[in-house]
Amino acid sequence: MIQGYSVASVFRRVSIRPLQRPWVVAGCAAALLAAAAPARPAQPAPVPPAAAVVAASAPVSAPPAPTTQAAAVGARGDSAGTVTIAASGSNEISGDNEIKVLDEVVVGARRREENAQNVPVPIAALSGAALEQSGQYRLEDLNAQFPSTNVAFANARQSSIAVRGLGNNPANDALESSVGVYLDDVYLGRAAMANTDLIDVDQVTLLRGPQGTLFGKNTTAGVLNITTRAPSFTPGGDAEASVGNYGYYQLRADATGPLLDDTLAGRISVSRTKRDGYVDNIYDGRELDDTSRYSGRGQLLWKPDEDFSLRVIGEHEEEHADNGAGILYSAGPNGGAKFYDAVAAAGAAVVYDPDYLKTDIDAIQHTSVEQSGTSAEANWQLGGYKLTSITAWRSWHFVPTNDGDSTDVDAITDGGQAVKDQQFSEELRLASPADNPLSYVAGLYYFWQQQNNILFFDYGPDARAIAALGDGSPAFANGTYDTPQYLRTESGAAFGQLTWRALDKWEFAAGLRDTQEGKVMHVERYNNDVSPAFASTFSTYSSGDLTLNNNNTSALLSASYKITPSAMAYASLSRGSKAGGINPAVPNGALGTRSLYVEPETANDGEAGIKTSWLENRVTANANLFWAQVKDYQSTLLEPVGNTNTFVQVLTNVGKVRTRGAEVEVAAQPVEDVTLRLSTSYDNATYLSYRNAPCPAEALAPTNAAQGSILCNLSGKALVGAPAWIVNPGVSWSQHFSDLTGTAELDYAWRSWQYGSTDDSQYGVIPSYGLLDLRYRVSGDLGGGRSWTVTVWSNNLANKHYVTDSVIATGSLYNYTLYPGLPRTYGLTGHVAF
């Protein structure tokens, strides 16, 4: 629908107020150069089968876990520069007996390569080998791998990553994620940039709690750090092919080796993934929620001597998918009477399916994503000091085509938000020798991001149905309006962390970061003026240049104590911040542009934990207690319009949020060839103060009110998308047959109920669910350093019908839609390493 548009030409280049701290300006310039779980609410009764399909002029139809690698399990990968994975993988000898031990995991959480068991931070790490063996490659698959983690996915733009309940804020292009996502140490300006096939990955690491004193960008909930395998001077490679149900196939390959005189090495990785849809559109028989992805990554590693290395990465990914179709989850109170009556009045039909696998729409449902990125990481070894420079540029382009009314009539032909996003970043970091009693890491960071987006809305010939469907819009057949948006962010920071090893068993750390950030937003609106009434309702608008400047400070204090050589206790206090923004929307006339501003949110966090190894490293057990309070939480609020009893929903700061709980991660090798895994978390995430909140359907229905006509108070209720319990157990068992090895793996990922909609409605509650994954692989040696593996697998073996942790409240009709998770999949994978 929107093809090849260019919004950039609409806007003149606007300038941002200079960063206000002179030392930050100078630094960035130098860098560029060189406790109880809430009770589950009562569930509404299922929609009666007789109400499953409503039509005015049409016949009525009847309705009808992966390998968890905690900070104790890993696998060896090629490394260079700052790549952060290594593993022992060897057996230890005790007396005359050989003991099989768990692999050591080495992470770069403190910008040094360290054993994860010695880092006083709650960390979960997943090796690339474990990710590949699990057959999981999507970002949302990490839900089954890490504790306290909730990845919600509707489409590439409407996705979020939450840790400990923080991060499910409304999707908005002006706001950052509460969880910072890094790819090869490059901060991604939007979490959606990580929605690609996770191929040729070395390690995925999750740091929980506020981060910022060691990472380039501030976060309030944590950091997800994805590192890919670096080029190696040892020739090698992999090739893999998978086939499965739903027309699934995936091809991936990579190769690495020296290119020039043992000083230059290269690596190339490619992948192709295709899967048919699994949501049945009864209107025309299409299968929606399919996906088609391509990706390629090329790398060069130049290492002329032992004191210098330069790693250059270039990559490109594309995705074309028919995802994002809304499925009716609940028709709301009173058996959905108001919703079904409105649908009938509109002359439309909808379908309710308790398995969440059917819809009824007449228009195209499609999204296209293209992104590219380049980065250059240089490392100088200056005696015992290490100087690192990371320069990166990325672009991300998203174009949706959506059925705007989710029915079988052409009321809204198309609508959505197209995005053109570009970013540039530079980080300069110096690390002192780690073996000194006093060591430090200090750095400077610069980030620039520009977006040229467009919100578009096209009414169809049956636009009269819109008024009947109750969204309050007049019926304007064939009317269109476009809202171009320009956003720019410029951020500069200085950060550092000092570590003091006062005694052999004690370690103290202190970190500080100062960030100066400025934003510019410009929004306009145009219409095709099909009638004077349409031109008045969707009048032309221009905001002019709106600016926002913030300064915030992050800090960390931590202490750790070695109880024994294999047991460490730690505690920390930290403060993190998430930047504010300017909502790129046309404001309600009575509220004006002041309603578009969103201030930063800040988090104060406390951690206390213990990391232990037992039985000569055959068992590791880590536990952590956490408490965090967030001020000025970014979400939606109802603002009064003048002196009337009408309220408009705006994006702003709503009050305070608290999250507290515990996390446990265990890995054990009780006998040779058997590995047990468990990661679990309990999280009591609550709105401490959330007045003037959007009202759930059950609050509106008694008065037959529309959203925006009454106020609600969600203070004391659970955060959206925050299950109290997450439990991920798993077991692996290997058997040896002559020259072959067979390995069976069973994983289960379970989470308790959670609110799925931002209004905390009982009609949007996602029940508890668990996903069972099973696979069996046989591997053998081909000689000459080559090997083969064949795997039979099934994910969601029990064919559980579940929701991808995101339910949408659709306003005055009290109905709720959802995005379904994958049904049972199964297939065969062949892998060759050479």
Side-chain angles (χ1 to χ4, degrees):
M1 130 92 221
I2 300 295
Q3 300 288 340
Y5 71 90
S6 177
V7 181
S9 60
V10 177
F11 301 101
R12 68 184 183 280
R13 185 170 183 83
V14 294
S15 60
I16 202 165
R17 192 168 65 182
L19 299 177
Q20 295 172 325
R21 300 287 179 92
W23 60 267
V24 176
V25 177
C28 290
L32 287 171
L33 294 174
R40 173 177 170 176
Q43 290 293 293
V47 177
V53 177
V54 177
S57 57
V60 175
S61 305
T67 302
T68 298
Q69 297 280 359
V73 184
R76 179 171 298 279
D78 295 329
S79 62
T82 60
V83 177
T84 57
I85 184 170
S88 61
S90 62
N91 293 344
E92 291 186 359
I93 305 299
S94 176
D96 297 327
N97 298 319
E98 186 178 90
I99 300 175
K100 185 71 174 179
V101 299
L102 294 167
D103 290 335
E104 175 187 282
V105 170
V106 174
V107 297
R110 297 195 291 182
R111 297 316 199 187
R112 308 176 187 276
E113 294 188 356
E114 301 174 278
N115 184 337
Q117 290 297 101
N118 296 329
V119 180
V121 176
I123 302 172
L126 176 71
S127 73
L131 187 66
E132 291 169 356
Q133 291 169 4
S134 73
Q136 297 178 326
Y137 59 91
R138 306 174 306 161
L139 190 68
E140 56 265 40
D141 291 333
L142 297 180
N143 281 335
Q145 306 287 353
F146 295 141
S148 303
T149 303
N150 205 24
V151 180
F153 179 84
N155 57 47
R157 177 178 170 268
Q158 290 180 295
S159 57
S160 64
I161 303 174
V163 171
R164 299 171 176 172
L166 301 177
N168 283 302
N169 308 55
N172 188 283
D173 299 292
L175 299 182
E176 299 174 353
S177 172
S178 298
V179 179
V181 182
Y182 289 76
L183 177 62
D184 290 318
D185 285 340
V186 175
Y187 173 76
L188 305 182
R190 58 194 317 135
M193 289 180 175
N195 270 313
T196 62
D197 288 352
L198 299 176
I199 65 160
D200 206 20
V201 168
D202 199 19
Q203 187 183 53
V204 181
T205 307
L206 178 69
L207 285 74
R208 304 185 291 275
Q211 308 294 325
T213 62
L214 282 177
F215 282 82
K217 203 75 173 66
N218 247 349
T219 61
T220 54
V223 160
L224 182 70
N225 195 18
I226 303 169
T227 56
T228 63
R229 294 183 179 119
S232 171
F233 290 97
T234 302
D238 297 86
E240 183 177 287
S242 300
V243 294
N245 61 331
Y246 293 106
Y248 168 78
Y249 69 86
Q250 184 179 76
L251 306 173
R252 59 167 79 181
D254 63 83
T256 188
L259 299 176
L260 179 65
D261 298 332
D262 294 330
T263 62
L264 184 67
R267 188 177 196 97
I268 187 169
S269 312
V270 294
S271 76
R272 168 75 170 105
T273 302
K274 179 73 171 66
R275 191 199 65 242
D276 294 339
Y278 51 90
V279 172
D280 181 22
N281 182 21
I282 65 175
Y283 179 82
D284 56 12
R286 287 177 296 159
E287 297 294 331
L288 303 179
D289 271 17
D290 66 357
T291 188
S292 177
R293 286 176 172 175
Y294 309 80
S295 66
R297 182 185 302 117
Q299 303 184 59
L300 292 174
L301 175 64
W302 182 44
K303 194 171 177 61
D305 52 51
E306 292 301 315
D307 295 330
F308 178 77
S309 68
L310 175 64
R311 181 185 179 189
V312 179
I313 304 173
E315 58 189 6
H316 180 80
E317 294 90 24
E318 291 188 21
E319 178 179 6
H320 304 279
D322 291 343
N323 56 27
I327 311 299
L328 181 60
Y329 184 59
S330 171
N334 305 317
K338 185 173 183 180
F339 172 68
Y340 288 128
D341 288 348
V343 171
V350 296
V351 61
Y352 169 79
D353 176 19
D355 292 335
Y356 320 137
L357 295 178
K358 286 183 172 61
T359 190
D360 189 8
I361 59 175
D362 66 300
I364 296 174
Q365 184 71 43
H366 188 75
T367 60
S368 295
V369 182
E370 292 185 21
Q371 72 167 314
S372 300
T374 59
S375 66
E377 177 179 335
N379 288 280
W380 292 267
Q381 203 67 42
L382 308 172
Y385 293 82
K386 184 178 181 180
L387 180 64
T388 300
S389 171
I390 304 174
T391 307
W393 172 88
R394 296 194 70 86
S395 69
W396 191 81
H397 185 193
F398 172 81
V399 178
T401 305
N402 298 311
D403 184 296
D405 53 72
S406 297
T407 71
D408 64 343
V409 296
D410 194 5
I412 304 177
T413 301
D414 196 6
Q417 175 95 5
V419 179
K420 278 188 173 181
D421 191 331
Q422 299 180 81
Q423 69 170 66
F424 172 82
S425 62
E426 168 66 32
E427 182 174 355
L428 188 66
R429 190 172 65 235
L430 179 67
S432 70
D435 52 359
N436 289 346
L438 196 65
S439 62
Y440 63 86
V441 175
L444 298 166
Y445 182 76
Y446 175 81
F447 178 77
W448 173 91
Q449 182 182 40
Q450 179 174 290
Q451 300 179 61
N452 290 283
N453 306 338
I454 185 168
L455 173 67
F456 56 93
F457 211 76
D458 300 345
Y459 286 94
D462 298 325
R464 69 185 188 285
I466 295 300
L469 286 172
D471 78 339
S473 300
F476 300 113
N478 303 313
T480 67
Y481 67 85
D482 298 330
T483 308
Q485 306 158 342
Y486 174 87
L487 303 95
R488 193 167 89 239
T489 297
E490 190 177 2
S491 175
F495 61 92
Q497 188 163 308
L498 186 69
T499 302
W500 179 39
R501 298 170 182 84
L503 300 170
D504 289 341
K505 295 184 177 182
W506 282 98
E507 179 181 290
F508 301 93
L512 192 65
R513 170 194 174 93
D514 188 273
T515 302
Q516 180 72 37
E517 192 151 32
K519 294 178 182 286
V520 168
M521 191 280 290
H522 187 122
V523 62
E524 299 187 2
R525 183 166 66 191
Y526 306 97
N527 64 69
N528 66 346
D529 198 12
V530 295
S531 70
F534 183 83
S536 174
T537 302
F538 303 105
S539 58
T540 58
Y541 175 82
S542 178
S543 67
D545 300 338
L546 306 180
T547 63
L548 176 68
N549 288 272
N550 295 130
N551 176 262
N552 56 69
T553 301
S554 299
L556 168 74
L557 290 173
S558 74
S560 63
Y561 177 73
K562 275 284 189 179
I563 304 169
T564 70
S566 58
M568 178 189 68
Y570 64 89
S572 68
L573 296 173
S574 62
R575 177 183 176 89
S577 181
K578 177 185 172 186
I582 312 173
N583 186 15
V586 176
N588 179 278
L591 297 180
T593 58
R594 67 174 179 83
S595 64
L596 303 180
Y597 284 83
V598 183
E599 295 301 314
E601 67 177 39
T602 57
N604 295 318
D605 175 84
E607 311 273 345
I610 187 168
K611 296 187 175 186
T612 64
S613 298
W614 305 82
L615 302 176
E616 297 176 287
N617 204 37
R618 283 184 289 164
V619 178
T620 63
N622 302 335
N624 184 68
L625 299 174
F626 62 89
W627 174 95
Q629 183 166 301
V630 180
K631 181 182 177 183
D632 292 327
Y633 189 68
Q634 296 170 348
S635 190
T636 55
L637 200 69
L638 295 179
E639 290 278 0
V641 179
N643 296 319
T644 68
N645 290 324
T646 302
F647 306 91
V648 176
Q649 188 166 300
V650 299
L651 182 70
T652 186
N653 305 92
V654 303
K656 293 182 180 179
V657 162
R658 183 189 63 209
T659 176
R660 57 185 179 181
E663 300 153 336
V664 176
E665 296 156 277
V666 179
Q669 199 132 37
V671 297
E672 186 175 0
D673 296 327
V674 174
T675 302
L676 306 176
R677 303 170 295 275
L678 173 67
S679 70
T680 184
S681 59
Y682 168 75
D683 180 19
N684 175 226
T686 308
Y687 297 109
L688 293 182
S689 176
Y690 192 1
R691 295 177 176 85
N692 293 10
C695 293
E698 54 269 31
L700 297 170
T703 60
N704 202 33
Q707 186 65 267
S709 60
I710 64 172
L711 299 174
C712 287
N713 186 355
L714 296 183
S715 301
K717 300 196 70 173
L719 266 69
V720 59
W725 288 96
I726 295 176
V727 183
N728 300 326
V731 59
S732 300
W733 176 39
S734 297
Q735 310 87 41
H736 304 281
F737 313 98
S738 183
D739 294 331
L740 302 179
T741 299
T743 302
E745 293 187 326
L746 182 70
D747 290 285
Y748 188 67
W750 181 88
R751 54 191 54 217
S752 61
W753 72 270
Q754 60 189 292
Y755 286 115
S757 59
T758 54
D759 57 13
D760 274 9
S761 171
Q762 60 175 313
Y763 294 96
V765 165
I766 299 173
S768 61
Y769 67 89
L771 303 179
L772 180 67
D773 296 344
L774 177 65
R775 54 199 167 274
Y776 187 82
R777 64 178 179 271
V778 178
S779 57
D781 191 359
L782 293 173
R786 298 171 297 167
S787 63
W788 61 270
T789 302
V790 174
T791 305
V792 179
W793 49 266
S794 179
N795 294 328
N796 191 7
L797 181 64
N799 200 28
K800 176 68 176 179
H801 298 293
Y802 66 102
V803 182
T804 58
D805 306 324
S806 180
V807 177
I808 307 300
T810 51
S812 61
L813 295 179
Y814 316 148
N815 62 306
Y816 294 82
T817 59
L818 63 79
Y819 305 107
L822 269 173
R824 176 172 52 231
T825 58
Y826 51 84
L828 183 71
T829 298
H831 182 98
V832 177
F834 54 89

